[in-house]
Amino acid sequence: MRCLLIITLLFIQSADYFVYSRRLLFGRPIDKHGFLGLPRTTLKQSEIESIAKEQWFEQKLDHFDPTNLLTWKQRYFINDDMFNRSNTNSPIFLQLGGEGEASAVWLKEGQIATNYGPHYQALQILLEHRYYGQSRPTQDMSTENLKYLTSEQALQDAANFIEFINEKYGLNKHKWIVFGGSYSGSLAAWFRMKYPHLVAGAIASSAPVQAVLDFEDYLKVVDESLGKKCVREIKSATDDLTELIKSKNNWPVIEKKFKLCTPFNGTNSLDVSNFFGNLAGNFEGVVQYNKDNRAFEGGSSITIDDLCSVMTDLNSNINSTDRLAKVNQILLKSQSQECLEFKYDDYVKKMLVVDFDKTEVPSARQWVYQTCTEFGFYQTSDRNDQPFGHYFPLDFFIKQCIDIYGSEFNKNFLEKSIQFTNNFYGGYNLTVSNVMFINGLIDPWHALGILEDLNPTAKALVMKKTAHCADMYPDSSEDPSELKSTRNVIKQMIGKFIQ
Ligand SMILES: *[C@@H]1O[C@H](CO)[C@@H](O)[C@H](O)[C@H]1NC(C)=O
Ligand SMILES: *[C@@H]1O[C@H](CO)[C@@H](O)[C@H](O)[C@H]1NC(C)=O
Ligand SMILES: *[C@@H]1O[C@H](CO)[C@@H](O)[C@H](O)[C@H]1NC(C)=O
Ligand SMILES: *[C@@H]1O[C@H](CO)[C@@H](O)[C@H](O)[C@H]1NC(C)=O
């Protein structure tokens, strides 16, 4: 699992800590999409393998077509170190994989493995989500084959899997709890809603439960987290840049200042959109993961304060545009990137690769497909009062759906898909019991989450100063007290669920 999540979407910077793939669009982790990436850990590969060996489960390709008998192999990991099999009060903790490769590190590090798991002597299992990592239902990711990539199929995968494990290990008397962060947090809540007979409860961290095509409020939360002064300087830089790009004499200057990989041409509006999107992405990524101890996961330790102290440093003799360029350089350096990629066509070309093993952007084609068919979540520049310019409106994102998957993925299609998703799960109005929703107000995704108790057993925990999925990471000496107490409440709540 990952608090992958999720997130922000589209797109792309590297999450892979061995190969730094270049940032293609919006400076987002390739494997992260704003959610969590592959865990960075000090453990060696052999140590990770010794946490839990990968295992495979024969899974149905299409749960909703009884006549389709095709199957594929879904990957999972089990850690039974703490499990007390002879005590039927010992629960089973199922971490649901999200939109990226699953890693057994989550069965050894992170809150579930180090805190809740040992406390309850739980059997810990991690199930990889179909189409991500090594769980490959079809030969490739052609648009035709991706039709089996839906959250509903993934939920039914988990239901099948639970029955299989109960039978295989004779665990019928033990209670299950599902966990997830970001997209997989939504899956956890939805799983409890649809299959209450299979799990006693769900812990949903930073879960965006409401699908939305134009997630313009994402930048609203980013602004609030950055603060007025910082936002003012960003706006001033954006305004200046907007003037600069009008004259082609300035293009080579922009190329140099922002360390672009290829020459800048201000008449190519898609590249310009992507360029400004990348500059916004520099701030978005840092806000989303501000101080959340994600060094554990390969994230950078750059904080909002680091970036905003550069932007608001009026004593330095450089103007706001140059300060924005400096922020960009800090981010490039932290990601070991030589230069900033911003060519739209290059991005689309990479996204068109359907071979699981040949793609340079693991998980990206799959997750963007899910945004184009189920969730939207596009972090557009459509809000009036945000400082990043209006270069990446909704149509820019819809164009990506069309260019990558085909002309039928147009605006009308997307609107209907999102309507379906909210109708199917209930959006903000989902009706569940025994679910704990956890959000941090610095995290822009909280805008799509559950922030108030739905009923006495479906509760919301809101932290004022934490970022995306902060509750899921290992303890750190810098953890604020609200985070510590949240983890305690979660721990107690699990106890109530399995009583
Ligand atoms: C496991 O559970 C059994 C039955 O409740 C109990 O007697 C035993 O002490 C437990 N073992 C551990 C290691 O806690
Ligand atoms: C900011 O300063 C740089 C020189 O350091 C200059 O090239 C650029 O034109 C300035 N931008 C504005 C908007 O004044
Ligand atoms: C910029 O792109 C336009 C249209 O694609 C082209 O005509 C023009 O020559 C380019 N300018 C430069 C300086 O590359
Ligand atoms: C949730 O309920 C509110 C108020 O009843 C309603 O306005 C909204 O459309 C509902 N949302 C969904 C996704 O059904």
Side-chain angles (χ1 to χ4, degrees), residues 290-291 439-443 462-467 470 480 482:
N290 191 48
K291 293 184 186 165
N439 281 284
L441 295 187
I442 287 185
D443 173 19
V462 176
M463 292 175 281
K464 290 207 175 78
K465 298 213 158 131
T466 60
E482 61 172 354

Side-chain angles (χ1 to χ4, degrees), residues 66 111 190 214 254 267 391 408 493:
Q111 281 302 309
W190 296 333
D214 190 337
I254 291 171
T267 61
Y391 295 94
E408 65 272 37
M493 193 55 80

Side-chain angles (χ1 to χ4, degrees), residues 240-241 244 253 257 318-322:
D240 290 347
L241 264 179
L244 285 177
V253 180
K257 269 196 212 304
I318 60 177
N319 58 35
S320 57
T321 311
D322 285 5

